[in-house]
Amino acid sequence: MQKIPLAERPGWRERAAELGFTFADMGGEPYWDETSAYRFTLSQIEDDIEDPSTELHGMCREAVAHAVGSEEWLTRLEIPRAHWDFVERAWSNGEPELYGRFDLAYDGSGPAKLLEYNADTPTSLYESASFQWLWFEESRDAGALGPGTDQFNRIHEALAERWAAICAPGEHVHFAADKDNPEDYATVEALAWAAREAGLGAHFTALSDIGLTDEGQLADDQDRVIGTLFKLYPWEDMLRDEFAPNLQLSQTRFIEPPWKAVLSNKGLLPLLWHLFPDHPNLLPAFFQADIEAARRGDATPFADAIAAAGPVLARGHVVKPIFSREGAGVVMVEGGRETARAPDDSYSHHPQVVQALALLPAFDGFHPVLGAWIVGEDCVGLGLREDRARITHNLSRFKPHFIEG
């Protein structure tokens, strides 16, 4: 894994604007940055990222099966009791999933470590699936990359195949997001593009325009009943929305399905460690409340595991809310001393998870985090973001990658 300086493509910003990539620069900083790219070997991709991520996803599905049958874990994950049946039924009925993104710490050697799973509303999809591939093809054609190079990226093709697998031929799917957020719109449009290639009907609707028919069905602003809905709206918010009592009664099929509430929750991290202790791609993780109980000598079923992980956690750990986005609420502690804190603490009122620290590597003053994309149940591509800060936040830069050797 190396960071390779490269010349930018002439006119790429104009090309981005033509394609609707209107957020290539954000906050006075470049978001898409092709002044360099990350180079991986094929074995690094296949052995350290692709295969482990597919295995991690299988483990996550086992975690869902465990959680939906456990009042203890549904409570720990803060899934509202009124919707436990909704979540469990979605799982037991086999309601299909579409996609997700693992965030991994990896420096080119040793096993990649799972930081979290963006399993419900992952963004950076357009950049990863489409604009990154365009960069690769044009850079290779221009001779900036060698003719034998490749990119780990069949995200778009896999999405089209997945839509065809989970929907009936010609089925109509509504795609809902915040119409005023360019990044969210780009994400749903990338998904809708794949759905259209799968022969499906795809209709955008603003989240705020969704209403109810007299029969209690969801409908768009043109009074079309929504039979299947992809929503870029996280389940932890949906299940607390004033609209929540209507969700199950509407008979709408949701993508992602309600059981993704288990996976789009950083409480997944201690659940995975509980089920798969010492797995090479996992970091020790516990609810902060259990660590505090163990310190007081109070009863907790995780006391032995916490004691075993004590030396690792003492060397370094992060504290993060079970619900948060883009690094918000994350605090880094090393050797008992706080060494970094995210400026956004708007999620910090939620229960906290303590996870052993896996430091991101440093390349030219930036720290990359790998985004391994899951479509269906397989890892199908890679996107990278890097940040000057040690905690990746919302103004990190997206970096392209390629495979050579």
Side-chain angles (χ1 to χ4, degrees):
M1 179 180 175
Q2 296 174 297
K3 186 176 181 180
I4 307 299
L6 292 169
E8 295 180 279
R9 292 167 296 159
W12 74 261
R13 279 187 168 82
E14 291 75 15
R15 184 91 162 103
E18 290 173 6
L19 295 171
F21 188 12
T22 59
F23 51 98
D25 294 285
M26 291 192 293
E29 291 274 346
Y31 169 59
W32 171 269
D33 181 4
E34 59 180 68
T35 59
S36 57
Y38 283 89
R39 179 172 66 191
F40 295 84
T41 66
L42 183 60
S43 63
Q44 287 175 330
I45 291 293
E46 292 182 340
D47 300 336
D48 294 348
I49 299 168
E50 181 181 10
D51 290 347
S53 294
T54 296
E55 181 182 356
L56 281 169
H57 183 71
M59 293 158 54
C60 286
R61 289 182 59 87
E62 291 187 49
V64 176
H66 183 86
V68 298
S70 167
E71 292 190 3
E72 176 191 359
W73 279 101
L74 290 173
T75 301
R76 286 177 172 274
L77 296 169
E78 294 273 306
I79 295 174
R81 181 178 290 270
H83 303 295
W84 284 1
D85 181 62
F86 185 36
V87 171
E88 190 282 328
R89 184 177 292 126
W91 174 256
S92 62
N93 288 345
E95 292 188 20
E97 60 187 308
L98 180 63
Y99 78 139
R101 190 193 77 232
F102 286 121
D103 282 352
L104 305 173
Y106 180 70
D107 64 3
S109 63
K113 297 294 186 178
L114 175 63
L115 302 178
E116 61 186 61
Y117 189 17
N118 300 275
D120 184 20
T121 58
T123 51
S124 76
L125 177 68
Y126 171 76
E127 307 91 286
S128 298
S130 299
F131 204 73
Q132 179 181 217
W133 182 253
L134 178 66
W135 166 86
F136 171 72
E137 288 190 314
E138 293 184 347
S139 298
R140 186 176 57 182
D141 291 347
L145 301 177
T149 56
D150 201 352
Q151 187 178 90
F152 181 36
N153 189 357
R154 63 175 308 271
I155 302 169
H156 175 75
E157 295 83 356
L159 284 168
E161 293 165 5
R162 184 62 176 167
W163 280 119
I166 66 177
C167 293
E171 184 174 339
H172 286 259
V173 181
H174 280 75
F175 292 83
D178 178 357
K179 63 182 179 181
D180 297 321
N181 186 315
E183 187 175 3
D184 286 5
Y185 183 81
T187 296
V188 296
E189 181 52 34
L191 290 168
W193 177 23
R196 294 184 191 105
E197 286 199 1
L200 308 180
H203 312 282
F204 177 79
T205 183
L207 281 165
S208 58
D209 289 341
I210 296 176
L212 286 174
T213 68
D214 292 340
E215 292 76 26
Q217 298 170 299
L218 300 189
D220 64 15
D221 60 344
Q222 299 181 41
D223 295 326
R224 293 177 296 194
V225 171
I226 300 174
T228 300
L229 176 66
F230 174 88
K231 82 292 173 299
L232 206 66
Y233 185 33
W235 275 112
E236 66 262 25
D237 293 334
M238 282 185 71
L239 295 179
R240 290 165 173 80
D241 194 292
E242 61 181 13
F243 210 67
N246 303 299
L247 297 176
Q248 188 167 190
L249 298 175
S250 72
Q251 299 299 304
T252 297
R253 182 168 69 146
F254 294 99
I255 301 173
E256 299 295 326
W259 58 260
K260 276 290 188 86
V262 174
L263 300 185
S264 62
N265 180 318
K266 292 176 185 63
L268 169 69
L269 301 171
L271 175 55
L272 285 172
W273 188 253
H274 172 64
L275 295 175
F276 306 100
D278 300 317
H279 188 280
N281 298 113
L282 296 179
L283 296 162
F286 306 93
F287 285 96
Q288 187 177 53
D290 288 311
I291 290 179
E292 292 173 351
R295 285 174 180 163
R296 295 192 302 266
D298 296 342
T300 169
F302 308 101
D304 290 344
I306 290 169
V312 175
L313 296 176
R315 285 196 297 271
H317 64 267
V318 294
V319 183
K320 55 181 76 172
I322 64 170
F323 304 127
S324 72
R325 294 288 185 276
E326 298 174 327
V330 173
V331 178
M332 187 179 296
V333 178
E334 296 174 84
R337 183 175 63 88
E338 181 181 312
T339 55
R341 176 181 289 267
D344 180 359
D345 64 354
S346 57
Y347 292 92
S348 297
H349 59 285
H350 293 297
Q352 307 282 310
V353 163
V354 176
Q355 181 186 43
L357 177 63
L359 289 173
L360 299 178
F363 291 87
D364 300 328
F366 285 86
H367 305 278
V369 62
L370 275 59
W373 286 94
I374 302 293
V375 175
E377 298 184 28
D378 299 310
C379 182
V380 297
L382 179 66
L384 283 85
R385 292 166 297 140
E386 64 174 18
D387 205 309
R388 291 187 181 93
R390 299 168 74 201
I391 299 172
T392 308
H393 59 74
N394 63 330
L395 292 181
S396 59
R397 299 183 178 193
F398 189 96
K399 302 293 293 188
H401 81 275
F402 64 99
I403 303 170
E404 188 174 43

